[in-house]
Amino acid sequence: MILKTFGWSFGVTAMGLAAAFYFWGWEGFAVVAILSVLEISLSFDNAVVNAGVLKKMNAFWQRIFLTIGILIAVFGMRLVFPVAIVSVTAGVGPIDAVQLALDDPDQYEQMVTDAHPSIAAFGGMFLLMIFLNFIFQERDVHWLGPLERPLARLGRIDAFSVGVALAALLLTASTVATHAYQHGGTYSDESSTVLLSGIAGLLTYLVVGGLSGFFENKLEEDEEREEAKAEEAAEEARAAGQQPTVVGLAGRAAFFLFLYLEVLDASFSFDGVIGAFAITNHIFWMALGLGIGAMYVRSITIYLVREGTLDDYRYLEHGAHYAIGALATMLLVSIRWHLPEWVTGGVGVALIGLSFWSSVRANRADAAARREDDSSDESAIPSGV
């Protein structure tokens, strides 16, 4: 199971580290390895949330997520995205941006750093909406009941999460963004940039999340109808002495869930790409290191789905969404203040670790309660002579 799920990740790791050593020696090897670990630590909560969405897809779309999806994640967000930032901010073509990254990496890093307010606002608002929609939703299982139950009641108000997100964006634009950090330790007023980018992130979530939710609901309705038809066909087949067949569904619902996952992954990768510049501004080292880390995030996602980990550990998804809320807050705060990578990664890992520990304790309590019930039932049965 481990080799089947992580085989591609192991292979890409070996090839990536070998290429780094072949072209750049031990320095390149070490930096690529460090970036890989950085990406995994910053994106573990991404894997947990991805698993919650991916388990709704069939095996075909899970394979698409691991193949086409990983190409988008590695080449799109880890290689093309930093180049696109420089291309847009500097007003140069993509080829010129790559040449700039190779010839003058310091200026390349400066341009990416100066574009951070707009990146953080877009990604922060997208992730904040994910957290708010989770925390304001009615659910049967609560991790932090005294906090989650009243928030779920507030979520009954129409568009309440959107209102909270817009209030957070206005507060960020009017306070934090007025002294946004720029390369070289200078500050500038990026209020309008943050406001526009944040609204774009919010709209992206509403469009992609809304479409995926719409088609997911439609898929459930279609599945119910198809199940009824399949049951009728199965009864007819049995009556005729034939073996009934099973028909699976996918279609547009799975496609929009896939699209939602890719946008979600892109939002999570913002902090990884920006944080990588604290370690190196070598474009190919970044692409290799972050790409290897992205492969493991994908493999961990598949592992969680196939092992049913989210069902076995009931609070794990809660911890991941709290980590998303923390990351969204830190992205918005980082517009003005630099946060060390160990903080952004460590908070998420700590929250997920706490939710895992709480899940283990709850499972042990349930098992103990079942043993007590079984023993009480046995003692209630009269013994015969």
Side-chain angles (χ1 to χ4, degrees), residues 6-51:
F6 289 88
W8 278 101
S9 297
F10 294 153
V12 170
T13 301
M15 290 187 294
L17 292 176
F21 178 76
Y22 179 80
F23 289 105
W24 302 290
W26 284 111
E27 182 183 3
F29 179 92
V31 172
V32 169
I34 292 171
L35 288 172
S36 303
V37 175
L38 172 70
E39 178 69 7
I40 295 171
S41 64
L42 289 176
S43 301
F44 186 78
D45 48 353
N46 185 8
V48 177
V49 176
N50 282 354

mmCIF file of all heavy atoms in Angstrom, residues 6-51:
data_model
loop_
_atom_site.group_PDB
_atom_site.id
_atom_site.type_symbol
_atom_site.label_atom_id
_atom_site.label_comp_id
_atom_site.label_asym_id
_atom_site.label_seq_id
_atom_site.Cartn_x
_atom_site.Cartn_y
_atom_site.Cartn_z
ATOM 1 N N PHE A 6 2.953 5.951 -2.569
ATOM 2 C CA PHE A 6 4.065 6.889 -2.543
ATOM 3 C C PHE A 6 5.153 6.573 -3.566
ATOM 4 O O PHE A 6 6.202 7.213 -3.557
ATOM 5 C CB PHE A 6 4.693 6.915 -1.138
ATOM 6 C CG PHE A 6 3.836 7.559 -0.100
ATOM 7 C CD1 PHE A 6 2.901 6.819 0.604
ATOM 8 C CD2 PHE A 6 3.951 8.905 0.187
ATOM 9 C CE1 PHE A 6 2.103 7.404 1.573
ATOM 10 C CE2 PHE A 6 3.162 9.506 1.146
ATOM 11 C CZ PHE A 6 2.226 8.752 1.851
ATOM 12 N N GLY A 7 4.910 5.580 -4.433
ATOM 13 C CA GLY A 7 5.933 5.177 -5.391
ATOM 14 C C GLY A 7 6.407 6.310 -6.282
ATOM 15 O O GLY A 7 7.616 6.523 -6.463
ATOM 16 N N TRP A 8 5.459 7.062 -6.852
ATOM 17 C CA TRP A 8 5.821 8.188 -7.712
ATOM 18 C C TRP A 8 6.581 9.248 -6.926
ATOM 19 O O TRP A 8 7.531 9.859 -7.433
ATOM 20 C CB TRP A 8 4.578 8.794 -8.342
ATOM 21 C CG TRP A 8 4.109 8.057 -9.558
ATOM 22 C CD1 TRP A 8 3.078 7.162 -9.643
ATOM 23 C CD2 TRP A 8 4.669 8.143 -10.876
ATOM 24 N NE1 TRP A 8 2.958 6.685 -10.922
ATOM 25 C CE2 TRP A 8 3.928 7.274 -11.707
ATOM 26 C CE3 TRP A 8 5.728 8.861 -11.421
ATOM 27 C CZ2 TRP A 8 4.202 7.105 -13.056
ATOM 28 C CZ3 TRP A 8 6.005 8.700 -12.765
ATOM 29 C CH2 TRP A 8 5.257 7.834 -13.565
ATOM 30 N N SER A 9 6.179 9.487 -5.690
ATOM 31 C CA SER A 9 6.862 10.490 -4.873
ATOM 32 C C SER A 9 8.304 10.074 -4.599
ATOM 33 O O SER A 9 9.230 10.895 -4.678
ATOM 34 C CB SER A 9 6.116 10.688 -3.545
ATOM 35 O OG SER A 9 4.814 11.186 -3.771
ATOM 36 N N PHE A 10 8.504 8.790 -4.272
ATOM 37 C CA PHE A 10 9.864 8.298 -4.052
ATOM 38 C C PHE A 10 10.711 8.441 -5.317
ATOM 39 O O PHE A 10 11.878 8.848 -5.261
ATOM 40 C CB PHE A 10 9.825 6.832 -3.614
ATOM 41 C CG PHE A 10 9.181 6.609 -2.279
ATOM 42 C CD1 PHE A 10 8.569 5.402 -1.973
ATOM 43 C CD2 PHE A 10 9.186 7.602 -1.309
ATOM 44 C CE1 PHE A 10 7.973 5.196 -0.739
ATOM 45 C CE2 PHE A 10 8.591 7.403 -0.073
ATOM 46 C CZ PHE A 10 7.974 6.193 0.213
ATOM 47 N N GLY A 11 10.106 8.101 -6.470
ATOM 48 C CA GLY A 11 10.840 8.193 -7.730
ATOM 49 C C GLY A 11 11.216 9.621 -8.085
ATOM 50 O O GLY A 11 12.360 9.894 -8.492
ATOM 51 N N VAL A 12 10.262 10.542 -7.925
ATOM 52 C CA VAL A 12 10.535 11.953 -8.224
ATOM 53 C C VAL A 12 11.575 12.509 -7.268
ATOM 54 O O VAL A 12 12.447 13.299 -7.658
ATOM 55 C CB VAL A 12 9.222 12.772 -8.156
ATOM 56 C CG1 VAL A 12 9.509 14.267 -8.217
ATOM 57 C CG2 VAL A 12 8.296 12.379 -9.300
ATOM 58 N N THR A 13 11.527 12.089 -6.004
ATOM 59 C CA THR A 13 12.533 12.535 -5.029
ATOM 60 C C THR A 13 13.927 12.108 -5.452
ATOM 61 O O THR A 13 14.873 12.911 -5.439
ATOM 62 C CB THR A 13 12.216 11.960 -3.640
ATOM 63 O OG1 THR A 13 10.918 12.390 -3.235
ATOM 64 C CG2 THR A 13 13.241 12.434 -2.620
ATOM 65 N N ALA A 14 14.054 10.841 -5.834
ATOM 66 C CA ALA A 14 15.370 10.329 -6.235
ATOM 67 C C ALA A 14 15.890 11.070 -7.467
ATOM 68 O O ALA A 14 17.061 11.492 -7.512
ATOM 69 C CB ALA A 14 15.275 8.832 -6.518
ATOM 70 N N MET A 15 15.029 11.255 -8.463
ATOM 71 C CA MET A 15 15.455 11.934 -9.687
ATOM 72 C C MET A 15 15.764 13.409 -9.429
ATOM 73 O O MET A 15 16.741 13.952 -9.952
ATOM 74 C CB MET A 15 14.382 11.793 -10.766
ATOM 75 C CG MET A 15 14.243 10.385 -11.310
ATOM 76 S SD MET A 15 13.108 10.281 -12.723
ATOM 77 C CE MET A 15 11.543 10.686 -11.939
ATOM 78 N N GLY A 16 14.929 14.072 -8.611
ATOM 79 C CA GLY A 16 15.150 15.488 -8.327
ATOM 80 C C GLY A 16 16.434 15.745 -7.572
ATOM 81 O O GLY A 16 17.204 16.653 -7.908
ATOM 82 N N LEU A 17 16.675 14.946 -6.534
ATOM 83 C CA LEU A 17 17.909 15.121 -5.760
ATOM 84 C C LEU A 17 19.140 14.749 -6.585
ATOM 85 O O LEU A 17 20.190 15.395 -6.473
ATOM 86 C CB LEU A 17 17.851 14.276 -4.488
ATOM 87 C CG LEU A 17 16.820 14.717 -3.437
ATOM 88 C CD1 LEU A 17 16.795 13.747 -2.269
ATOM 89 C CD2 LEU A 17 17.097 16.128 -2.943
ATOM 90 N N ALA A 18 18.995 13.723 -7.428
ATOM 91 C CA ALA A 18 20.120 13.341 -8.289
ATOM 92 C C ALA A 18 20.443 14.451 -9.286
ATOM 93 O O ALA A 18 21.618 14.767 -9.527
ATOM 94 C CB ALA A 18 19.799 12.044 -9.028
ATOM 95 N N ALA A 19 19.399 15.070 -9.865
ATOM 96 C CA ALA A 19 19.616 16.168 -10.805
ATOM 97 C C ALA A 19 20.247 17.365 -10.108
ATOM 98 O O ALA A 19 21.148 18.023 -10.662
ATOM 99 C CB ALA A 19 18.282 16.570 -11.445
ATOM 100 N N ALA A 20 19.786 17.666 -8.881
ATOM 101 C CA ALA A 20 20.354 18.789 -8.131
ATOM 102 C C ALA A 20 21.839 18.557 -7.843
ATOM 103 O O ALA A 20 22.662 19.472 -7.983
ATOM 104 C CB ALA A 20 19.587 18.985 -6.822
ATOM 105 N N PHE A 21 22.193 17.332 -7.480
ATOM 106 C CA PHE A 21 23.590 17.032 -7.196
ATOM 107 C C PHE A 21 24.433 17.053 -8.474
ATOM 108 O O PHE A 21 25.571 17.548 -8.478
ATOM 109 C CB PHE A 21 23.700 15.662 -6.520
ATOM 110 C CG PHE A 21 25.115 15.245 -6.229
ATOM 111 C CD1 PHE A 21 25.809 15.810 -5.167
ATOM 112 C CD2 PHE A 21 25.759 14.310 -7.019
ATOM 113 C CE1 PHE A 21 27.115 15.439 -4.899
ATOM 114 C CE2 PHE A 21 27.067 13.934 -6.768
ATOM 115 C CZ PHE A 21 27.742 14.496 -5.707
ATOM 116 N N TYR A 22 23.876 16.532 -9.576
ATOM 117 C CA TYR A 22 24.623 16.450 -10.838
ATOM 118 C C TYR A 22 24.949 17.844 -11.386
ATOM 119 O O TYR A 22 26.058 18.104 -11.855
ATOM 120 C CB TYR A 22 23.817 15.653 -11.860
ATOM 121 C CG TYR A 22 24.484 15.525 -13.204
ATOM 122 C CD1 TYR A 22 25.496 14.590 -13.415
ATOM 123 C CD2 TYR A 22 24.101 16.347 -14.265
ATOM 124 C CE1 TYR A 22 26.113 14.475 -14.652
ATOM 125 C CE2 TYR A 22 24.709 16.246 -15.503
ATOM 126 C CZ TYR A 22 25.714 15.309 -15.689
ATOM 127 O OH TYR A 22 26.322 15.199 -16.917
ATOM 128 N N PHE A 23 23.968 18.758 -11.328
ATOM 129 C CA PHE A 23 24.158 20.074 -11.939
ATOM 130 C C PHE A 23 24.779 21.099 -10.977
ATOM 131 O O PHE A 23 25.518 21.982 -11.419
ATOM 132 C CB PHE A 23 22.826 20.618 -12.456
ATOM 133 C CG PHE A 23 22.315 19.906 -13.672
ATOM 134 C CD1 PHE A 23 21.255 19.013 -13.584
ATOM 135 C CD2 PHE A 23 22.900 20.111 -14.916
ATOM 136 C CE1 PHE A 23 20.779 18.357 -14.701
ATOM 137 C CE2 PHE A 23 22.427 19.460 -16.052
ATOM 138 C CZ PHE A 23 21.365 18.572 -15.943
ATOM 139 N N TRP A 24 24.481 20.972 -9.670
ATOM 140 C CA TRP A 24 24.910 22.036 -8.751
ATOM 141 C C TRP A 24 25.667 21.537 -7.532
ATOM 142 O O TRP A 24 25.963 22.324 -6.629
ATOM 143 C CB TRP A 24 23.685 22.844 -8.302
ATOM 144 C CG TRP A 24 22.931 23.445 -9.447
ATOM 145 C CD1 TRP A 24 23.348 24.469 -10.251
ATOM 146 C CD2 TRP A 24 21.648 23.048 -9.939
ATOM 147 N NE1 TRP A 24 22.403 24.737 -11.203
ATOM 148 C CE2 TRP A 24 21.334 23.881 -11.043
ATOM 149 C CE3 TRP A 24 20.714 22.091 -9.562
ATOM 150 C CZ2 TRP A 24 20.162 23.771 -11.765
ATOM 151 C CZ3 TRP A 24 19.545 21.965 -10.278
ATOM 152 C CH2 TRP A 24 19.273 22.807 -11.368
ATOM 153 N N GLY A 25 25.946 20.260 -7.454
ATOM 154 C CA GLY A 25 26.751 19.733 -6.371
ATOM 155 C C GLY A 25 25.989 19.596 -5.066
ATOM 156 O O GLY A 25 24.753 19.617 -5.027
ATOM 157 N N TRP A 26 26.769 19.500 -3.971
ATOM 158 C CA TRP A 26 26.160 19.273 -2.671
ATOM 159 C C TRP A 26 25.305 20.452 -2.207
ATOM 160 O O TRP A 26 24.318 20.265 -1.483
ATOM 161 C CB TRP A 26 27.244 18.977 -1.633
ATOM 162 C CG TRP A 26 27.814 17.591 -1.740
ATOM 163 C CD1 TRP A 26 29.065 17.236 -2.141
ATOM 164 C CD2 TRP A 26 27.131 16.377 -1.455
ATOM 165 N NE1 TRP A 26 29.207 15.877 -2.135
ATOM 166 C CE2 TRP A 26 28.038 15.315 -1.708
ATOM 167 C CE3 TRP A 26 25.841 16.066 -1.014
ATOM 168 C CZ2 TRP A 26 27.688 13.983 -1.541
ATOM 169 C CZ3 TRP A 26 25.502 14.735 -0.845
ATOM 170 C CH2 TRP A 26 26.411 13.704 -1.101
ATOM 171 N N GLU A 27 25.670 21.670 -2.602
ATOM 172 C CA GLU A 27 24.872 22.836 -2.196
ATOM 173 C C GLU A 27 23.471 22.752 -2.775
ATOM 174 O O GLU A 27 22.474 22.939 -2.064
ATOM 175 C CB GLU A 27 25.546 24.134 -2.644
ATOM 176 C CG GLU A 27 24.782 25.375 -2.202
ATOM 177 C CD GLU A 27 25.406 26.666 -2.711
ATOM 178 O OE1 GLU A 27 26.401 26.590 -3.464
ATOM 179 O OE2 GLU A 27 24.881 27.743 -2.369
ATOM 180 N N GLY A 28 23.388 22.463 -4.076
ATOM 181 C CA GLY A 28 22.075 22.322 -4.698
ATOM 182 C C GLY A 28 21.290 21.174 -4.096
ATOM 183 O O GLY A 28 20.075 21.279 -3.870
ATOM 184 N N PHE A 29 21.971 20.049 -3.821
ATOM 185 C CA PHE A 29 21.327 18.887 -3.210
ATOM 186 C C PHE A 29 20.712 19.262 -1.866
ATOM 187 O O PHE A 29 19.557 18.934 -1.572
ATOM 188 C CB PHE A 29 22.360 17.768 -3.034
ATOM 189 C CG PHE A 29 21.831 16.511 -2.400
ATOM 190 C CD1 PHE A 29 21.343 15.486 -3.180
ATOM 191 C CD2 PHE A 29 21.820 16.369 -1.009
ATOM 192 C CE1 PHE A 29 20.857 14.318 -2.594
ATOM 193 C CE2 PHE A 29 21.327 15.221 -0.423
ATOM 194 C CZ PHE A 29 20.851 14.193 -1.217
ATOM 195 N N ALA A 30 21.477 19.958 -1.010
ATOM 196 C CA ALA A 30 21.008 20.309 0.331
ATOM 197 C C ALA A 30 19.831 21.282 0.284
ATOM 198 O O ALA A 30 18.837 21.117 1.006
ATOM 199 C CB ALA A 30 22.159 20.913 1.138
ATOM 200 N N VAL A 31 19.918 22.293 -0.583
ATOM 201 C CA VAL A 31 18.847 23.291 -0.652
ATOM 202 C C VAL A 31 17.557 22.666 -1.166
ATOM 203 O O VAL A 31 16.466 22.936 -0.641
ATOM 204 C CB VAL A 31 19.277 24.474 -1.547
ATOM 205 C CG1 VAL A 31 18.092 25.412 -1.790
ATOM 206 C CG2 VAL A 31 20.425 25.238 -0.909
ATOM 207 N N VAL A 32 17.650 21.819 -2.188
ATOM 208 C CA VAL A 32 16.460 21.146 -2.727
ATOM 209 C C VAL A 32 15.827 20.263 -1.657
ATOM 210 O O VAL A 32 14.594 20.222 -1.511
ATOM 211 C CB VAL A 32 16.822 20.331 -3.980
ATOM 212 C CG1 VAL A 32 15.669 19.415 -4.386
ATOM 213 C CG2 VAL A 32 17.167 21.264 -5.133
ATOM 214 N N ALA A 33 16.641 19.544 -0.878
ATOM 215 C CA ALA A 33 16.108 18.696 0.193
ATOM 216 C C ALA A 33 15.400 19.538 1.257
ATOM 217 O O ALA A 33 14.304 19.179 1.725
ATOM 218 C CB ALA A 33 17.239 17.887 0.825
ATOM 219 N N ILE A 34 15.996 20.672 1.639
ATOM 220 C CA ILE A 34 15.382 21.541 2.642
ATOM 221 C C ILE A 34 14.056 22.103 2.138
ATOM 222 O O ILE A 34 13.048 22.149 2.869
ATOM 223 C CB ILE A 34 16.350 22.684 3.015
ATOM 224 C CG1 ILE A 34 17.557 22.125 3.775
ATOM 225 C CG2 ILE A 34 15.640 23.746 3.858
ATOM 226 C CD1 ILE A 34 18.664 23.133 3.990
ATOM 227 N N LEU A 35 14.009 22.530 0.889
ATOM 228 C CA LEU A 35 12.774 23.061 0.318
ATOM 229 C C LEU A 35 11.679 22.002 0.258
ATOM 230 O O LEU A 35 10.495 22.313 0.434
ATOM 231 C CB LEU A 35 13.046 23.618 -1.085
ATOM 232 C CG LEU A 35 13.834 24.930 -1.147
ATOM 233 C CD1 LEU A 35 14.188 25.259 -2.592
ATOM 234 C CD2 LEU A 35 13.048 26.066 -0.531
ATOM 235 N N SER A 36 12.050 20.760 0.011
ATOM 236 C CA SER A 36 11.074 19.671 -0.013
ATOM 237 C C SER A 36 10.410 19.512 1.350
ATOM 238 O O SER A 36 9.184 19.408 1.456
ATOM 239 C CB SER A 36 11.746 18.362 -0.423
ATOM 240 O OG SER A 36 12.377 18.471 -1.669
ATOM 241 N N VAL A 37 11.236 19.505 2.399
ATOM 242 C CA VAL A 37 10.709 19.378 3.756
ATOM 243 C C VAL A 37 9.848 20.588 4.111
ATOM 244 O O VAL A 37 8.785 20.459 4.748
ATOM 245 C CB VAL A 37 11.859 19.219 4.766
ATOM 246 C CG1 VAL A 37 11.339 19.201 6.194
ATOM 247 C CG2 VAL A 37 12.642 17.943 4.474
ATOM 248 N N LEU A 38 10.284 21.779 3.698
ATOM 249 C CA LEU A 38 9.508 23.000 3.949
ATOM 250 C C LEU A 38 8.123 22.903 3.329
ATOM 251 O O LEU A 38 7.114 23.200 3.979
ATOM 252 C CB LEU A 38 10.251 24.212 3.381
ATOM 253 C CG LEU A 38 9.484 25.546 3.388
ATOM 254 C CD1 LEU A 38 9.320 26.061 4.812
ATOM 255 C CD2 LEU A 38 10.201 26.588 2.527
ATOM 256 N N GLU A 39 8.033 22.465 2.078
ATOM 257 C CA GLU A 39 6.751 22.371 1.387
ATOM 258 C C GLU A 39 5.831 21.363 2.062
ATOM 259 O O GLU A 39 4.630 21.616 2.213
ATOM 260 C CB GLU A 39 6.982 21.979 -0.078
ATOM 261 C CG GLU A 39 5.716 21.799 -0.887
ATOM 262 C CD GLU A 39 4.959 23.092 -1.139
ATOM 263 O OE1 GLU A 39 5.491 24.162 -0.788
ATOM 264 O OE2 GLU A 39 3.850 23.043 -1.677
ATOM 265 N N ILE A 40 6.370 20.232 2.475
ATOM 266 C CA ILE A 40 5.544 19.211 3.125
ATOM 267 C C ILE A 40 5.001 19.733 4.450
ATOM 268 O O ILE A 40 3.817 19.567 4.765
ATOM 269 C CB ILE A 40 6.350 17.922 3.337
ATOM 270 C CG1 ILE A 40 6.727 17.301 1.986
ATOM 271 C CG2 ILE A 40 5.550 16.907 4.159
ATOM 272 C CD1 ILE A 40 7.707 16.151 2.084
ATOM 273 N N SER A 41 5.852 20.386 5.246
ATOM 274 C CA SER A 41 5.423 20.887 6.554
ATOM 275 C C SER A 41 4.390 21.998 6.419
ATOM 276 O O SER A 41 3.458 22.089 7.220
ATOM 277 C CB SER A 41 6.632 21.386 7.349
ATOM 278 O OG SER A 41 7.237 22.492 6.707
ATOM 279 N N LEU A 42 4.541 22.853 5.403
ATOM 280 C CA LEU A 42 3.594 23.957 5.215
ATOM 281 C C LEU A 42 2.275 23.488 4.625
ATOM 282 O O LEU A 42 1.247 24.166 4.761
ATOM 283 C CB LEU A 42 4.207 25.025 4.307
ATOM 284 C CG LEU A 42 5.344 25.871 4.885
ATOM 285 C CD1 LEU A 42 5.897 26.809 3.819
ATOM 286 C CD2 LEU A 42 4.878 26.660 6.102
ATOM 287 N N SER A 43 2.266 22.322 3.958
ATOM 288 C CA SER A 43 1.089 21.912 3.185
ATOM 289 C C SER A 43 0.425 20.651 3.700
ATOM 290 O O SER A 43 -0.429 20.089 3.005
ATOM 291 C CB SER A 43 1.482 21.714 1.713
ATOM 292 O OG SER A 43 2.013 22.893 1.157
ATOM 293 N N PHE A 44 0.791 20.181 4.910
ATOM 294 C CA PHE A 44 0.147 18.967 5.403
ATOM 295 C C PHE A 44 -1.345 19.186 5.620
ATOM 296 O O PHE A 44 -2.162 18.290 5.353
ATOM 297 C CB PHE A 44 0.807 18.508 6.705
ATOM 298 C CG PHE A 44 0.297 17.184 7.195
ATOM 299 C CD1 PHE A 44 0.738 16.014 6.610
ATOM 300 C CD2 PHE A 44 -0.640 17.112 8.218
ATOM 301 C CE1 PHE A 44 0.264 14.786 7.044
ATOM 302 C CE2 PHE A 44 -1.119 15.892 8.658
ATOM 303 C CZ PHE A 44 -0.665 14.733 8.069
ATOM 304 N N ASP A 45 -1.713 20.374 6.107
ATOM 305 C CA ASP A 45 -3.136 20.660 6.262
ATOM 306 C C ASP A 45 -3.838 20.680 4.910
ATOM 307 O O ASP A 45 -5.021 20.326 4.801
ATOM 308 C CB ASP A 45 -3.357 21.983 7.004
ATOM 309 C CG ASP A 45 -2.510 23.118 6.435
ATOM 310 O OD1 ASP A 45 -1.657 22.859 5.561
ATOM 311 O OD2 ASP A 45 -2.696 24.270 6.883
ATOM 312 N N ASN A 46 -3.115 21.066 3.864
ATOM 313 C CA ASN A 46 -3.663 21.021 2.510
ATOM 314 C C ASN A 46 -4.057 19.593 2.149
ATOM 315 O O ASN A 46 -5.119 19.354 1.577
ATOM 316 C CB ASN A 46 -2.608 21.544 1.524
ATOM 317 C CG ASN A 46 -3.131 21.660 0.101
ATOM 318 O OD1 ASN A 46 -4.318 21.494 -0.145
ATOM 319 N ND2 ASN A 46 -2.250 21.916 -0.828
ATOM 320 N N ALA A 47 -3.205 18.620 2.494
ATOM 321 C CA ALA A 47 -3.485 17.227 2.174
ATOM 322 C C ALA A 47 -4.734 16.734 2.890
ATOM 323 O O ALA A 47 -5.553 16.009 2.304
ATOM 324 C CB ALA A 47 -2.281 16.351 2.549
ATOM 325 N N VAL A 48 -4.909 17.128 4.141
ATOM 326 C CA VAL A 48 -6.081 16.685 4.904
ATOM 327 C C VAL A 48 -7.364 17.236 4.298
ATOM 328 O O VAL A 48 -8.360 16.520 4.127
ATOM 329 C CB VAL A 48 -5.951 17.098 6.389
ATOM 330 C CG1 VAL A 48 -7.197 16.703 7.166
ATOM 331 C CG2 VAL A 48 -4.721 16.464 7.013
ATOM 332 N N VAL A 49 -7.350 18.531 3.951
ATOM 333 C CA VAL A 49 -8.544 19.135 3.360
ATOM 334 C C VAL A 49 -8.807 18.556 1.968
ATOM 335 O O VAL A 49 -9.946 18.272 1.589
ATOM 336 C CB VAL A 49 -8.390 20.667 3.291
ATOM 337 C CG1 VAL A 49 -9.577 21.293 2.601
ATOM 338 C CG2 VAL A 49 -8.258 21.236 4.690
ATOM 339 N N ASN A 50 -7.738 18.368 1.186
ATOM 340 C CA ASN A 50 -7.896 17.745 -0.132
ATOM 341 C C ASN A 50 -8.560 16.379 -0.018
ATOM 342 O O ASN A 50 -9.413 16.016 -0.839
ATOM 343 C CB ASN A 50 -6.534 17.578 -0.809
ATOM 344 C CG ASN A 50 -6.027 18.875 -1.405
ATOM 345 O OD1 ASN A 50 -6.727 19.886 -1.429
ATOM 346 N ND2 ASN A 50 -4.799 18.864 -1.882
ATOM 347 N N ALA A 51 -8.165 15.605 0.997
ATOM 348 C CA ALA A 51 -8.717 14.266 1.166
ATOM 349 C C ALA A 51 -10.217 14.315 1.420
ATOM 350 O O ALA A 51 -10.964 13.448 0.949
ATOM 351 C CB ALA A 51 -8.006 13.550 2.317
#
